[in-house]
Amino acid sequence: MKTFLAIFTATPAKLDAWNRLEPSVRADRDKRALVAWNQWATEHAAAIVDVGSPLGHTKRVSAAGTIDTATTSAGYVLIRAESHDAAARIFADHPHFTLMPGDAVEVIECLPLPSAG
């Protein structure tokens, strides 16, 4: 089994459209999305290593210093699967982009650390 980091992304345009929804419509969609997300997590519980969380504000740290910045990363989850394709299939029709303002899920293989010796 391999480990994969799944990053949920949301573009500013998707978030703007979400924020323009009537509050009652948004609240209803939030409620339905949470139920769907929990159903997805239950269905894939055997593959989930870390259920993850939503992500907040971002700081970028480099040799030049630290700055506040924006990102399209909205959340993450850590899973295990036999292959990259199998990991990606876990996110087909995920509520992140079917009910929520997300636009995609990026599934990244976590490679083993190279040996120093």
Side-chain angles (χ1 to χ4, degrees):
M1 295 286 269
K2 297 178 178 183
T3 302
F4 299 87
L5 172 65
I7 307 259
F8 299 96
T9 63
T11 64
K14 288 267 192 172
L15 293 172
D16 287 345
W18 177 264
N19 289 329
R20 284 193 306 272
L21 292 172
E22 291 292 323
S24 62
V25 171
R26 195 168 55 240
D28 178 62
R29 286 185 60 187
D30 272 338
K31 186 175 167 182
R32 290 187 300 130
L34 185 57
V35 168
W37 190 294
N38 287 330
Q39 287 173 338
W40 174 88
T42 298
E43 180 180 338
H44 298 287
I48 297 172
V49 175
D50 179 346
V51 72
S53 69
L55 299 174
H57 296 287
T58 304
K59 290 197 178 283
R60 185 173 192 280
V61 180
S62 71
T66 302
I67 60 169
D68 290 330
T69 189
T71 182
T72 59
S73 298
Y76 79 96
V77 64
L78 200 59
I79 63 163
R80 304 247 320 136
E82 289 293 332
S83 69
H84 210 157
D85 287 337
R89 282 192 297 274
I90 290 172
F91 296 93
D93 299 322
H94 191 281
H96 173 69
F97 51 84
T98 58
L99 291 172
M100 303 177 85
D103 68 318
V105 179
E106 297 176 357
V107 181
I108 307 161
E109 184 176 355
C110 299
L111 301 173
L113 287 173
S115 172

